[in-house]
Amino acid sequence: MMNIDDIKGIIVPIITPIDKDENIDEAKLRFMVDHVIEDGVHGILAFGSNGEFYAFEEQEMLTAFEAIIDQAKGRVPVYFGIGAIRTKQAVRLAKMAEEMGADGISILQPMFLKPDFDELYDHFKAVADVVPNTAVLLYNNPGRVGYNISVQLVDKLARDVDNIVGIKDSSGDFTMLSELVRCTRDLNFKVMAGKDTLVFPGLCIGTVGSVCSTANMFGPLVTSIYNKYMAGDFAGALEAQFALNPVRLAQDKTTFPVATKDMANLLGLEVGDCVKPVQSSKGELLETLRSSMAEAGLLEK
């Protein structure tokens, strides 16, 4: 079992760069691994929502994951994101990720369907049970899948399944985030905010950190929120959060999840486009992203 004390800080759902034929660009992916680690992130999540997990075949994901693990060289924990609808597929991916050396896996609640309490419980437990020595994080993203993983379900899974050790909550609902912390605080359960605007407020109520897509581009700023908070510089941490917020909020005007790649490309990281049907932002939309970065002083390289 991994040392779950390492599940903390700013974890980046790393961008998956692609070439003109929409094949994963391994050289650029390796570059991004070095880039985010040099920028100070505390962990890397492969194939999160901003990694476009829904767009790639199993083998493409596993090949890319191998490259990420190889390039990270143990410098930070590396997690594998699973967004499969079918339990059998999620189980298979979890096993493969563990065999490849994943430090943990993250499981999104199945999209498109709306499973009830028992169905969801069985889904998460089935996946966790096949990788008993690997840390499992639940991933709640109601904005994408259309329903929440309830606090009650998280609490039951946290108590019943030894290796379900945390959750990334992207609901953006601060009450829910705080309830997740409150209900599990007698356990060593790692609650992480999944909204980049809630890094600082999350830490104030007991989260261990956040999963932030903006750390692909603005690692030093995003990680400074966590690092300053942990050093007791609460005023500095709040200022860093407030510097980040307008940039993150500017992304909401674009088609999900293209803004992350748009901003990375504006910085000259050259990560390619998103996988179609999503297309890169143009015109006024791109200008909004650019100006939000410029106003925050994040465009000078």
Side-chain angles (χ1 to χ4, degrees), residues 5 40 59 64 90 95 102 109 159 172 225 248 253 271 293:
D5 294 336
Q59 197 48 57
K95 274 189 191 157
Q109 74 263 52
R159 290 174 198 285
I225 305 171
R248 170 61 190 85
K253 298 178 175 71
V271 293
M293 288 163 62

Side-chain angles (χ1 to χ4, degrees), residues 32-50:
M32 281 300 296
V33 170
D34 285 339
H35 165 73
V36 294
I37 293 175
E38 283 157 18
D39 273 359
V41 300
H42 306 94
I44 291 173
L45 168 64
F47 298 105
S49 301
N50 273 269

Side-chain angles (χ1 to χ4, degrees), residues 146-162:
Y147 66 93
N148 266 307
I149 304 175
S150 69
V151 175
Q152 292 73 21
L153 178 59
V154 174
D155 185 52
K156 184 165 169 55
L157 285 163
R159 290 174 198 285
D160 292 358
V161 187
D162 287 346

Side-chain angles (χ1 to χ4, degrees), residues 10-11 13 49-50 139-144 167-174 177 192-203 207 209-214 222 225 241 244-245 248-249 251-252 256:
I10 303 299
I11 296 175
S49 301
N50 273 269
Y139 173 17
N140 182 45
N141 195 337
R144 293 286 128 216
I167 184 168
K168 172 196 175 187
D169 174 42
S170 294
S171 67
D173 177 342
F174 195 63
L177 187 67
M192 304 196 88
K195 278 272 193 264
D196 302 31
T197 50
L198 294 181
V199 183
F200 176 85
L203 292 167
T207 64
S210 290
V211 181
C212 296
S213 61
T214 51
V222 182
I225 305 171
Q241 180 74 75
L244 176 66
N245 287 2
R248 170 61 190 85
L249 292 169
Q251 297 185 333
D252 289 342
F256 178 87

Side-chain angles (χ1 to χ4, degrees), residues 82 90 105-109 123-124 127-128 136-139 149:
I82 295 175
I105 60 171
S106 154
I107 316 170
L108 178 67
Q109 74 263 52
H123 175 74
F124 288 122
V127 181
V136 172
L137 300 172
L138 306 173
Y139 173 17
I149 304 175

